Amino acid sequence: MKPSEIKEILQLISELDLKEVRIKNEDFEIRVRTAKDEVISVASGAMTTMAPAPVPMAMPAPAVAAAPASPTGESDSTVESDNSSDYIEVRSPMVGTFYRAASPDKPPFVQVGDSISSGQVVCIIEAMKLFNEIESEVSGKIVKVMVDDSSPVEYDQVLFLVDPNG
C-alpha cells in the first residue's frame, strides 16, 4: 500500500468520524483507531508507521432505535422496562449499515436467547464498502436486538442488550 493510499484512507476516516478501521492482507496489516483528538496508525510487514496530524472529532448524539415488532404486536424478546438497567449494552463502534448475518442466505450471528462470549462476532457493520465484524466485549445472553437488519447505525448506538448473568 502506498503512502498516498494510506493518507486517503485517513481522510475518509476523518470525514466519516469512524472510531476504528482495520485492513489486512497477505503483506501487511493496518489498523487506525481514533482516540480523543488524535489518529494513531500502526502498520506491520512492508509498511512503515505513520502518525498524521491530529483530527478533531465530533461526537454525534446516540440514536435510539426501536426493536421490530412481531406479527402479534409484541417485541421479539421478553425485556421488561423496569429491569433493563441490569443489562449490558453492546454499542456500535462506528457509523455504517448494521447486518445481523454475513450474507442474506446465512443465519444471523446471534439471536435473542443465545449465549455469547467475549470476542464472539455478533454482527457486521458496513462502512464505505468495508465489512467490519463487530465482536462482543462482554459475555452473557442476548435479551434484545435493538436495530433492524440492514439499518443505518450511528457511532455509540446500542445494538444489543446482554444479560451478564444469563
Side-chain angles (χ1 to χ4, degrees), residues 52-65:
V55 178
M57 294 281 300
M59 297 300 285
V64 177

Side-chain angles (χ1 to χ4, degrees), residues 105-125:
D105 59 334
K106 302 278 186 195
F109 290 106
V110 294
Q111 295 184 11
V112 172
D114 287 355
S115 291
I116 61 169
S117 57
S118 182
Q120 179 178 342
V121 175
V122 292
C123 66
I124 291 178
I125 296 182

Side-chain angles (χ1 to χ4, degrees), residues 36-155:
K36 295 187 182 178
D37 291 331
E38 63 183 359
V39 174
I40 302 165
S41 176
V42 178
S44 63
M47 297 300 300
T48 60
T49 302
M50 291 181 56
V55 178
M57 294 281 300
M59 297 300 285
V64 177
S70 68
T72 62
E74 297 175 5
S75 174
D76 67 345
S77 67
T78 58
V79 175
E80 302 278 332
S81 60
D82 59 340
N83 66 356
S84 63
S85 63
D86 297 337
Y87 301 133
I88 297 172
E89 298 171 335
V90 175
R91 295 178 170 270
S92 175
M94 64 184 64
V95 175
T97 304
F98 172 84
Y99 294 104
R100 292 187 63 188
S103 67
D105 59 334
K106 302 278 186 195
F109 290 106
V110 294
Q111 295 184 11
V112 172
D114 287 355
S115 291
I116 61 169
S117 57
S118 182
Q120 179 178 342
V121 175
V122 292
C123 66
I124 291 178
I125 296 182
E126 176 190 8
M128 296 184 50
K129 306 290 184 195
L130 294 175
F131 292 87
N132 303 283
E133 292 183 338
I134 307 304
E135 298 175 353
S136 174
E137 295 180 359
V138 298
S139 297
K141 183 172 104 174
I142 300 284
V143 292
K144 189 167 188 177
V145 179
M146 301 295 289
V147 182
D148 291 330
D149 193 36
S150 303
S151 296
V153 293
E154 297 291 329
Y155 168 76

